[in-house]
Structure formats: structure tokens, C-alpha cells
Amino acid sequence: MKKILLILLLVVPTLAFSQVKRFGVPNILSYPKAEYRAGTQNWGIAQDPDGFMYFANNLGLLRFDGLNWNLYNDSFTSNVRSVCIDEDGIIYIGLDEDFGIFDPNSPEGPVFKSLLDKLPEDIPETDVIWKIYDTQYGIVFQSYQYLFIYNDDEIDIIKPQKAFYYSFYINNRLFFHEPGVGLYEYINGFVNKVPWADELKDHEIQSMVSFFENHLLIGTAQSGWFEYKNGELKKWDVPANTQTKNDVLYCGIKLDGNNLAIGTILNGLIIANSDGEIIQRLNLNNGLQNNTILSLCNDRSGNLWLGLDNGIDYIELNSPISYTSRSENIGTGYCAVIHNNLLYLGTNQGLFTKKFSTVGHDNTEVFKMIPGTEGQVWSLKVLNGQLLCGHNSGTFAINEREARQISDEPGLWTFVQLKDQPDYAIGGTFNGLVLFHFEDNQWKFQTKTKGFSESSRFLSEDKDGNIWVSHGAKGVFRVTLNAHRDSATDVKLYGINEGLPLDLMNILLKFDNTWYISTVDGLYNYNAATDRFEKNKSLNEIFPPNNRLKYVAKDIRGNYWYIAENEVGVLHKNDDTSYTKITTPFQQLRNKLVREWEFLYVFDLNNVFFATENGFAHYSSRIVTSYNQPFKCFITQVDIPNLDTVVYPENANGPIKLPFQKNAFRFRFAAPFYQNPDQLEFSYFVDNYSDSWSAWSSDNYRDLTNLPENNYVFRVKSRNSFGIESEEASFSFVITPPWHRSRTATYIYILIIFVIVVIIAWIINQRFEKSKQKERKKHEQKLREKEKEFEQQAVLAEKEIIRLKNEKLEAQKLSLDKELANQTLSIVNKNKFLMKINEELKRVSHETSDGAVKTKMAILKKRIDKEIDNQNQNQIFESYFEEVHADFFERLKDKFPHLSPKDLRLCAYIRMNMSTKEIATLLNISDRGVEISRYRLRKKLELSREVNLSTFLLNL
């Protein structure tokens, strides 16, 4: 920053600190009643050591921190008429019928302490306190009826002969005026009448100012200013006084640099130098909210605050940038040029002009539109000593304050004069190129160029006579013209394939007698040998990287003035041919330029013009201000919504303890820096919480919620538009543990643990006893279980014995079944054999005639029949079957009593799983007879067809 300031000092041979610009109007920030939310009238202004601004307002005391307004009126009810802050930051205020000390940082909150209790009882009323001064005698409070001097907690009182009007503290001298009596000076406890001021006794003195020792300017309401110099009082016969008398003086203060600020009742603000020349006149027409100025304050940055009859205004007097007045209503700026001592400004409303000689001398002349140029002006260019104007309606030749239209081809963007034929110029229009010819000492339209119809806003000519045109949406065109320049013989479009980073957003810029293409990736120039565009390394090292250039102009000293995507600045050429970038003075232009139509015009180092949305900005390097002034950052308050509490960090005496339960905070902070307040940024850090400082943000608050218990320090710092960082502000606080983690809770926990241990010990003992009883019972139970188990084992053993017996019986049964079956088969076979023999005997008996043989055969046959006697066999079979299948016949007879013996026998054979043939042999019937018997048996047993007879009998 120091290097940049030194460079600024070397830019021009003569510089003036704290000088007020004459061109245009300074930057004015208006704060209406609706914004600060208090009364309309503001009677006094003061700044405390921390930079906060205080205003004596009808509804209370206003404080402004650059971002937020606070109104204090809870501890007093009357209007605040005056305010004064001493070097220790103690705030004194004057009210209607009261005065005292106001402490915004009291532990109890903002509080007003009246000093009326220090007055004697014979002073029942103080009247309105209009003035307060911090003097070597103490704090002086002045009303119409009294002068109170507060020092060492005591008050001295001075009474007027009739009535005081106003008092003044100038060059450590305290003056007070009594209309009709005279002007007095208070010196070491004595009141002395000023002998040279008798001429002023019948005037209402509104202001007193001094530019040097033994010099006074005394301002009156009726007759304006008087000057006391070299022991003589006389009227100040200067232009500023003439204007003051017309506008009616109300207040005045000395500004830095021996300038005078005059607040009037009828017509706003007058700023004059010590010679009485008017430098600026600001009123309702050109930026102020109100024409009646009730109070003035020059802050520590050299800028001016106005307390108005309705509102508050802030004027950046020390800025090198000023603006065309809004009262001139010239519209949005697009181009500018100075020609023949006339300043021309092209806007969206037309072409305006005024004498350039007025800049720096007389600020009264206003811009006037040149007739016929109404509408959009795109460009201004001086060619062959004549000014040409590119207009939405065509092209105009400008002669002084007159315009002559030389072409009606619509939308003339710009001009380029041909190098080899300076009597010819090419103009770029909305839809192609046009040719102009300079003859008879004036420019004339010649023809429209054929063969090319693209919009040609940016033009240049190369050394070969080709015309280059950059198109924002298509790329860059090279147009080759014929010898007569009236037709394009070749058109080539260059884009990504020819080396450019994009086909879009390419701007043709011309400086250093050559042309370049500004792209999103820096500056490119054309290489004719390769027929491609290449990045220009040297220029890209000078200009800001990754910041597309919009406009570049070079002054006579080799400095580059530029407008980039996010930056406005100048590259100052150093003695060693290196460049230093300076952007700080231009920060306030950042959101005021016409986007994508950026323009600047360098006439000289003291006259640089920038096109803005509301006209033009003017930069003068003669006005030098310090951009590295230190400033502070403050945590103004901490909101704790869950406790419905507001903490003011200024009041805190050590860390604030806050409960853990639902902890939530909003930290509000501010930095009293009033230039470009919309560009003020903040960064914060929380000890024991943050890992690093937060990113810069324009938010002037930070919310924190649900912090764990710990000791914290909230830190915040600010950065202004000039890149200067403030000191840190900090606020220490402690999040106490929740109740369940507090010290009291710890003691309770210990007690509870002790009780629990005792209870557990008792429980364990009880459980041990119960366990013993349980073990005893368990042992007894086990013994009973063992006994039961033994009994069960005995039962099982018995069952096993029975099972084995059953198995043995079953085996015997099987054996008997086999034996019965074998016997039955044996009988069957024997019967078959005997029957066969019987048949054979019967046949032989029939064949033989021998009676004896027949008799013997009959005997044999009878014996055989006896052997196959069925009844006997049945008895034997039933005997064996009952032995094997005990109670089978009984069960069968019980269920089916109608069964015959033959049926029972058939059932026994079927149960034994004998075949039909075997059964037929045993029953001595045919196989068919067996089937019929089985059928009849099924009916008697009432079995369905689905039931198997053998299975039924086996399961019976």
C-alpha cells in the first residue's frame, strides 16, 4: 500500500491532499428516515474514538456502525438536540430541559445519567441544550438561558444579560453570542466582550470558522459571512458569500485542506476554498435528500456527514472519483472524448457537451444535448481533426455544438481510419461495414461494403490492409477488401480450430499501435506465418490473469488503464519498465459500470472518464487519499434467543457463562468504515471449535448452535474495499456442562453411587443367602430327581424286561405261526395225496370185477376218508391257531357274531396269508368256491371295495 501511495505521488507533478474535486459531484450515500427508523431532523453529529457515528435526532440518540442503525431513547424521553464525544469516548448529550452523560456500554445496558442533580436549586429549568463542546475548561453545555461548564464533577454556570443565541469553540477559544448585546469570549473563568465585534451584535451568528491563527470567518443568518483578519472585521466579499446570503446560512465547519462546508436552509451544501471560491454545490437536484442542513461533521477519514431536516447524507469528499450530476439527467454513459476544449459525453439519450475549461474552475455550467443527436450514442472518434459520432440512427459529424448527419446506415458501432489511405475510414455497423471518405475538409459517407453483413462492433486494420472484426457470439473475422474498399473479396472466420480458446466472448482491443483479442484465457495475437492465434506471454504476465479484459487505454507515460471482468485499475509503468498494479482508488466503481459495454477515456492523468450506469465517473490523480487507514471491528451484540437475552460484549468483564441446554447464538458484528460499505467483508474464528478462519463474507452476523461444553473465544475481523484488514474483535464465553455433567451433579452421582454400592452389597448378601437356600433346595431337588431317575430307570428296566418278553413271545408266536403254517401245509399236501389215492382206488374199484378186491378197496377208501376228516382237522387247526393268535376268534365273534365256523376258518386262513389254492385244498372246495366264500365274507364284514380283506383281518 505504501508503494502504491508513493506511485500515486509520482503520477503527476502537483498533488493536493484533502482537496475537494470540482468536476461532477462526489459519491453521496443517502440514509433516509425509513432506513435509520427515527425522527426526521438530525441536530448534531459526532464520531467516537472507535469510529462509530452518533446523531442527535428528534426521537433519541442514533448510532451508526457502517451497517446497522441503533436508536437509544429508553432512558430519556425528550428530543436530543446536541451531542459531543470527548477523547476518552465519553458521550455527552443535550436534551430539552436536560443534559448529561450517555453510556451505551453500561452493564445495565444503554443508560443516560442526567447532570441536573449537580445544579443549584435556584435553576429549575435549563432550556434546550443546543451546543456542547469539549474544551480545555471542561465540557460546555449551552442553552439560550445558560452556559454550563462541567469539570471535575462540578458545574459552573454563566448567565446571559438577555439570552444566548449560539456558542462556538474555535482554535481553543470559546465564544458565545447575545443578540443585541454582543459577542463574548470565555477566558479562564472570565467573560470578556469582544471589542471588534460590535457590528455583529444585532445579527444571528450561526457559525464561526478559522483557517489560520488570528483569523476568523463569522457566518450570520441575514448577512452571510464576515472575515476578521489583521485586527479588522469586514464582510467577506467572495462568490461563496453571495451564494450563502441567497441560500440562508444555518451551519458551517472547516474541512481538511482549508476548505469550508456551508450548510444552508434553502439550497443544500456549499463547499468553498479559503479564498471563497465555490468548489461544489450540492442540493436536492444533484444528490442530497433535503435542502435544509441542520448539522455538519467532518469525520476522521476526511469525509463529510450531513444532518438534514429529513435524513442523513454521507459525502466522500476525499475520493479522487466524482460523478456527473443526476440533475443533468444525461442517462447511461457509453463513450466520451475531449475535442476543441469541449467535453463530449455519449449516452443512451444522446450526445451531451460543455466546455472542458470549466473542469477545475467553475462548476456551474451543465451539460447540454446537441440537437439532432437524441437517442443511443455508441462511439466518438476524432479523425483528421473532425469529431465523428456513431449513433443508433447513423453517423454524425460534430462541429462544436452542432451535428450533421452524414449517414443514415443504422447502428454505427465504431470507426477505424485506414493506414495507407488516411482519407478513408471504415465504420462497423449492426450489419456489416461502411466506407467514409474525407474530402472538402469533411467526412462523407461513400458506400456500404458488399460481401460482409456481420455485426462489427470491434474493428481494426492489420499491416496488410485486412479488416479484423470480433463477433461476441461467432468468433473473429478477417475481411479482405478490394482496391476500392467497397466490397469484401475474402472473409475467413477464426475460432477454436485457429487457436482461440472459445468461439464466444472474444473482444478486439487496440493499444500500443496494434490489436489483440481478449479472451477468457487472456490476450491473443495473430501470427500471419501460421495463420493462427497465439497467446501473448508478455502481456498476460502484466495484466491480471483469469480476468477477461474489456477495455484498455494507454496514456502518454506508458501506463495501462484497464477494465477487466472483475476489476478496474491502472498498470503504472515504473522506471525499470516493470509495472505496478493499482486498483484501490477504483473499488467504488465495481458495480457501477455498464456490463459488457465498459468504456474508459484517458485525456490526461487528471482527467480519466469511466462510463457508468448513471452517466460518467471522473478520476483525478491530483486528489490523493490514504487507503490504508486502520479501522476496527466490533462484536456489537450477542443474541441468545433461547434465553431471550442480548449480551453486549463491551459490557462484559470476563467470559460470559452460558448454559448448555439448547445453546444457540447469533453474533452481530460491525466495522465503522463508511466508504463502499457494501463491499465490507467479515471473517470469523472460534477457539476450540473452528479449524481455520472462515471465508470472507458480506454477512455481518454468524449463528452458532449446539456447542459442546468448553471455553470459547469468538474472533472476527473485517476487510474493507481497499483490501485493508481490521484488528480482531473477540468475545469470550463458556458453555457450562449440562446439569447431568455439572459439579453438583457429580456430587450427587457420588452419593448415588455410594448408596447404590450399599444397596448392591445388601442385595448381593441377600442374593448369597438366597443362593445358599436355593443351592440347598437345588441339592434336595437333585436328590429327589435322582430318586425319581432311579425309579424311572427301574420302570424302564421293567419295561425293557417286558419288551424282551414280548419280543420272545413274538418270536415264539412267529415260530408257532411257521409251525402252524407248516402243519397246515402238511395236512393240505397229505389230503391232496390221499384224495388222489382215493380217486385212484375208486377208479381201480370200478375197473376190477373182483369182489374181494373191491371190498378191500372200500375199506381202504373208508380209512382214507377218515384221515381227511375235516372236523378233526378243524379242531386241530383251531387249537393251534388259538394258541398262536390268542383271542382272535373271540374278537372276531364279538364284532361279527353272525359269522359261521366256516367263515371263521376262512378268516384264519386269510390272516395267515394263504393262497386261494391252499385254502381250496384245506376246505375241500374249488378255487371258485373260495372266491365266492371271500365275497360273502366281505359282505358279512361290511367292507367296501377299497378296503383290503387281508389287511383288515391282520389289523383286527
Side-chain angles (χ1 to χ4, degrees):
M1 182 59 68
K2 291 182 178 178
K3 182 178 180 182
I4 292 175
L5 182 58
L6 179 61
I7 291 170
L8 288 173
L9 290 169
L10 297 174
V11 169
V12 291
T14 58
L15 290 173
F17 287 86
S18 303
Q19 206 176 42
V20 178
K21 288 189 65 179
R22 297 174 183 265
F23 179 84
V25 296
N27 189 37
I28 300 174
L29 300 180
S30 296
Y31 300 100
K33 171 187 173 183
E35 183 169 344
Y36 60 72
R37 297 183 180 181
T40 56
Q41 295 173 316
N42 296 279
W43 299 100
I45 308 173
Q47 186 176 28
D48 73 7
D50 292 327
F52 291 94
M53 300 300 303
Y54 288 83
F55 302 85
N57 184 269
N58 272 356
L59 295 186
L61 184 67
L62 275 172
R63 186 178 82 163
F64 184 48
D65 59 23
L67 295 172
N68 304 301
W69 293 89
N70 297 102
L71 177 64
Y72 303 112
N73 57 7
D74 292 339
S75 53
F76 47 85
T77 56
S78 66
N79 298 338
V80 179
R81 301 295 189 179
S82 53
V83 58
C84 176
I85 304 175
D86 67 13
E87 60 184 10
D88 296 323
I90 300 175
I91 303 170
Y92 302 91
I93 60 174
L95 312 172
D96 294 348
E97 304 296 344
D98 201 356
F99 62 92
I101 300 172
F102 179 75
D103 185 3
N105 302 321
S106 168
E108 294 79 21
V111 64
F112 170 70
K113 179 184 178 182
S114 175
L115 297 178
L116 292 182
D117 59 348
K118 301 184 182 301
L119 297 178
E121 295 181 358
D122 61 343
I123 301 180
E125 295 181 351
T126 64
D127 203 356
V128 178
I129 304 298
W130 287 107
K131 300 290 184 180
I132 307 176
Y133 303 105
D134 180 16
T135 74
Q136 73 267 34
Y137 310 115
I139 305 300
V140 176
F141 299 87
Q142 181 251 311
S143 71
Y144 289 147
Q145 300 298 323
Y146 301 98
L147 202 68
F148 303 103
I149 303 177
Y150 175 68
N151 190 27
D152 293 333
D153 208 32
E154 294 182 353
I155 295 180
D156 292 332
I157 303 172
I158 299 174
K159 299 180 180 180
Q161 295 181 28
K162 293 183 178 180
F164 293 124
Y165 189 62
Y166 284 142
S167 56
F168 312 94
Y169 187 64
I170 306 296
N171 293 338
N172 294 323
R173 300 172 67 183
L174 178 60
F175 296 93
F176 47 90
H177 178 239
E178 287 189 56
V181 179
L183 182 66
Y184 290 85
E185 182 177 3
Y186 179 85
I187 304 175
N188 296 324
F190 297 96
V191 177
N192 302 304
K193 189 174 183 180
V194 179
W196 47 262
D198 286 342
E199 185 181 347
L200 302 175
K201 68 178 183 179
D202 294 323
H203 292 78
E204 294 178 356
I205 299 178
Q206 300 288 138
S207 176
M208 291 183 67
V209 176
S210 176
F211 288 128
F212 45 86
E213 195 70 26
N214 296 320
H215 172 268
L216 287 173
L217 283 179
I218 303 170
T220 67
Q222 299 86 1
S223 303
W225 292 94
F226 290 81
E227 182 180 33
Y228 174 74
K229 184 170 64 174
N230 299 324
E232 183 181 1
L233 179 70
K234 60 181 180 180
K235 283 192 176 183
W236 198 32
D237 189 14
V238 293
N241 194 22
T242 302
Q243 189 63 49
T244 300
K245 287 189 288 185
N246 293 333
D247 298 341
V248 185
L249 171 68
Y250 188 83
C251 56
I253 61 170
K254 177 182 174 293
L255 301 176
D256 298 338
N258 279 345
N259 292 318
L260 173 65
I262 304 169
T264 72
I265 293 177
L266 301 179
N267 201 21
L269 180 71
I270 302 170
I271 298 179
N273 59 21
S274 58
D275 295 326
E277 296 176 340
I278 296 177
I279 303 173
Q280 282 282 355
R281 287 183 60 192
L282 302 175
N283 51 38
L284 187 62
N285 293 328
N286 59 6
L288 299 187
Q289 298 179 79
N290 191 270
N291 277 336
T292 300
I293 300 174
L294 302 179
S295 55
L296 297 166
C297 178
N298 194 25
D299 67 17
R300 287 197 293 274
S301 297
N303 295 311
L304 185 63
W305 292 86
L306 310 182
L308 306 177
D309 191 54
N310 189 356
I312 297 170
D313 281 345
Y314 170 75
I315 303 174
E316 291 187 22
L317 290 181
N318 65 353
S319 174
I321 295 178
S322 58
Y323 300 88
T324 52
S325 172
R326 70 184 184 188
S327 64
E328 295 174 304
N329 195 27
I330 65 174
T332 300
Y334 282 86
C335 54
V337 71
I338 295 173
H339 180 59
N340 292 337
N341 292 324
L342 287 173
L343 171 61
Y344 296 91
L345 301 180
T347 74
N348 65 332
Q349 297 188 18
L351 181 61
F352 295 82
T353 187
K354 77 173 183 178
K355 288 184 179 180
F356 178 62
S357 58
T358 62
V359 179
H361 293 85
D362 184 6
N363 201 40
T364 58
E365 184 180 358
V366 298
F367 285 100
K368 293 183 179 180
M369 183 185 292
I370 297 178
T373 64
E374 295 83 356
Q376 176 70 56
V377 175
W378 295 116
S379 62
L380 293 169
K381 187 74 69 86
V382 178
L383 302 177
N384 290 349
Q386 189 172 34
L387 177 61
L388 295 181
C389 171
H391 196 279
N392 210 56
S393 302
T395 307
F396 293 85
I398 308 301
N399 184 18
E400 298 291 333
R401 300 176 187 267
E402 296 179 354
R404 176 177 57 88
Q405 187 166 9
I406 61 176
S407 169
D408 59 0
E409 188 68 30
L412 198 291
W413 290 120
T414 188
F415 307 89
V416 58
Q417 191 171 13
L418 302 182
K419 298 176 181 178
D420 295 336
Q421 295 176 293
D423 289 341
Y424 287 91
I426 296 291
T429 71
F430 289 170
N431 52 10
L433 304 175
V434 293
L435 181 65
F436 296 95
H437 183 219
F438 188 72
E439 58 181 343
D440 299 330
N441 206 30
Q442 60 183 0
W443 286 99
K444 298 180 181 179
F445 174 78
Q446 184 161 323
T447 185
K448 181 175 181 179
T449 303
K450 300 176 182 178
F452 184 73
S453 59
E454 298 290 344
S455 178
S456 305
R457 181 181 166 193
F458 302 100
L459 288 180
S460 188
E461 182 190 16
D462 65 14
K463 62 182 181 179
D464 298 322
N466 298 311
I467 302 299
W468 291 85
V469 179
S470 67
H471 192 289
K474 296 183 178 181
V476 180
F477 292 93
R478 185 185 65 188
V479 182
T480 303
L481 302 178
N482 61 9
H484 298 292
R485 306 298 176 119
D486 59 0
S487 180
T489 60
D490 181 65
V491 176
K492 181 176 181 180
L493 178 62
Y494 292 77
I496 294 178
N497 296 330
E498 289 73 30
L500 293 173
L502 290 175
D503 293 335
L504 309 174
M505 303 173 70
N506 299 307
I507 300 175
L508 189 151
L509 301 177
K510 185 176 182 181
F511 54 93
D512 287 338
N513 294 319
T514 187
W515 60 275
Y516 306 91
I517 299 298
S518 174
T519 73
V520 294
D521 190 35
L523 289 172
Y524 283 69
N525 52 1
Y526 175 68
N527 187 335
T530 60
D531 193 28
R532 291 178 60 83
F533 281 92
E534 298 173 350
K535 201 168 184 179
N536 190 303
K537 295 183 179 179
S538 60
L539 286 177
N540 285 316
E541 290 176 356
I542 297 174
F543 286 102
N546 303 321
N547 204 352
R548 186 168 60 114
L549 289 172
K550 301 293 192 68
Y551 205 100
V552 178
K554 191 174 184 180
D555 63 28
I556 58 175
R557 297 193 178 187
N559 304 314
Y560 290 106
W561 301 76
Y562 68 90
I563 300 173
E565 191 81 46
N566 301 309
E567 189 174 272
V568 180
V570 57
L571 295 174
H572 177 264
K573 188 174 184 179
N574 303 317
D575 293 337
D576 60 356
T577 69
S578 64
Y579 289 88
T580 300
K581 183 173 72 170
I582 302 171
T583 60
T584 303
F586 311 102
Q587 291 299 318
Q588 64 177 263
L589 295 176
R590 275 173 56 185
N591 297 316
K592 296 178 180 178
L593 302 180
V594 187
R595 190 164 181 80
E596 299 304 329
W597 299 92
E598 292 84 354
F599 172 85
L600 68 87
Y601 170 65
V602 182
F603 180 71
D604 56 32
L605 296 179
N606 297 314
N607 293 282
V608 182
F609 296 87
F610 297 87
T612 70
E613 293 176 347
N614 295 313
F616 285 85
H618 176 266
Y619 173 80
S620 174
S621 58
R622 289 185 182 274
I623 308 300
V624 177
T625 185
S626 176
Y627 295 103
N628 60 351
Q629 292 182 0
F631 68 105
K632 298 179 180 179
C633 187
F634 296 91
I635 301 172
T636 55
Q637 70 181 55
V638 182
D639 298 331
I640 311 174
N642 291 327
L643 300 180
D644 195 21
T645 301
V646 176
V647 176
Y648 297 95
E650 297 91 341
N651 306 337
N653 296 319
I656 303 295
K657 291 187 177 182
L658 300 168
F660 174 86
Q661 188 67 21
K662 295 182 180 180
N663 68 77
F665 312 90
R666 169 163 287 189
F667 295 86
R668 299 182 185 273
F669 29 86
F673 190 84
Y674 306 102
Q675 293 173 269
N676 311 321
D678 56 326
Q679 298 179 31
L680 205 60
E681 297 178 315
F682 297 91
S683 177
Y684 70 89
F685 181 89
V686 183
D687 292 359
N688 297 322
Y689 183 77
S690 301
D691 295 327
S692 60
W693 282 87
S694 68
W696 291 103
S697 170
S698 59
D699 293 336
N700 65 328
Y701 66 90
R702 170 60 183 169
D703 294 329
L704 295 177
T705 58
N706 298 324
L707 294 176
E709 67 267 24
N710 209 333
N711 297 332
Y712 296 97
V713 180
F714 183 88
R715 306 178 187 275
V716 64
K717 59 185 177 179
S718 179
R719 182 175 67 183
N720 62 25
S721 60
F722 306 130
I724 304 300
E725 293 187 13
S726 70
E727 301 174 6
E728 285 183 18
S730 63
F731 174 72
S732 300
F733 61 102
V734 178
I735 301 296
T736 59
W739 186 89
H740 60 277
R741 289 201 290 267
S742 66
R743 183 171 296 181
T744 302
T746 302
Y747 295 148
I748 295 174
Y749 295 153
I750 293 173
L751 178 61
I752 292 173
I753 291 171
F754 176 76
V755 172
I756 291 173
V757 169
V758 171
I759 293 173
I760 290 173
W762 180 81
I763 292 173
I764 290 173
N765 184 60
Q766 292 296 315
R767 286 188 175 181
F768 180 72
E769 293 297 327
K770 288 182 179 180
S771 177
K772 287 171 64 179
Q773 294 179 3
K774 188 175 181 180
E775 286 295 324
R776 190 180 301 113
K777 291 180 179 180
K778 187 176 180 181
H779 181 67
E780 293 175 355
Q781 180 68 24
K782 282 185 178 180
L783 289 176
R784 286 194 296 270
E785 289 177 355
K786 284 287 185 182
E787 292 177 359
K788 189 175 181 180
E789 183 180 350
F790 291 154
E791 291 176 356
Q792 289 177 349
Q793 288 178 354
V795 171
L796 291 174
E798 187 177 350
K799 288 182 177 180
E800 183 65 19
I801 292 171
I802 293 172
R803 185 184 64 79
L804 292 174
K805 287 181 179 180
N806 289 335
E807 287 180 356
K808 182 178 180 181
L809 290 174
E810 188 69 22
Q812 290 177 351
K813 177 184 175 183
L814 291 174
S815 175
L816 290 174
D817 271 341
K818 289 180 181 179
E819 185 179 350
L820 177 61
N822 291 332
Q823 288 179 358
T824 304
L825 288 175
S826 176
I827 293 171
V828 169
N829 292 329
K830 183 192 74 169
N831 286 346
K832 284 183 179 181
F833 179 74
L834 290 176
M835 288 176 68
K836 186 179 284 188
I837 292 175
N838 200 9
E839 289 293 329
E840 187 65 24
L841 289 174
K842 189 178 180 179
R843 183 184 63 78
V844 172
S845 178
H846 285 296
E847 290 179 358
T848 186
S849 57
D850 189 348
V853 173
K854 287 184 177 183
T855 302
K856 287 184 177 182
M857 288 185 177
I859 294 169
L860 285 173
K861 186 176 183 248
K862 190 173 181 180
R863 290 181 64 181
I864 291 170
D865 290 337
K866 187 178 180 181
E867 282 298 322
I868 58 174
D869 183 11
N870 287 331
Q871 185 175 357
N872 188 34
Q873 292 177 6
N874 288 341
Q875 290 176 350
I876 295 171
F877 176 79
E878 289 177 0
S879 173
Y880 277 107
F881 191 87
E882 282 292 336
E883 190 176 342
V884 176
H885 299 282
D887 302 326
F888 172 73
F889 289 121
E890 293 295 331
R891 291 195 303 273
L892 192 61
K893 290 176 181 179
D894 289 340
K895 287 187 177 183
F896 307 103
H898 53 279
L899 294 178
S900 64
K902 186 177 180 181
D903 294 333
L904 294 174
R905 192 175 181 187
L906 177 62
C907 289
Y909 291 152
I910 293 171
R911 180 180 174 88
M912 291 175 64
N913 201 23
M914 298 182 70
S915 65
T916 301
K917 276 187 167 294
E918 290 172 340
I919 294 172
T921 303
L922 289 173
L923 294 179
N924 199 18
I925 59 176
S926 63
D927 292 348
R928 177 66 178 166
V930 174
E931 291 297 330
I932 293 170
S933 297
R934 287 173 68 99
Y935 173 74
R936 289 174 180 168
L937 180 62
R938 289 181 67 90
K939 290 187 70 177
K940 289 181 180 181
L941 296 177
E942 299 179 351
L943 297 179
S944 63
R945 295 174 63 88
E946 291 78 12
V947 178
N948 185 275
L949 181 61
S950 298
T951 303
F952 174 78
L953 292 175
L954 286 171
N955 294 330
L956 186 66

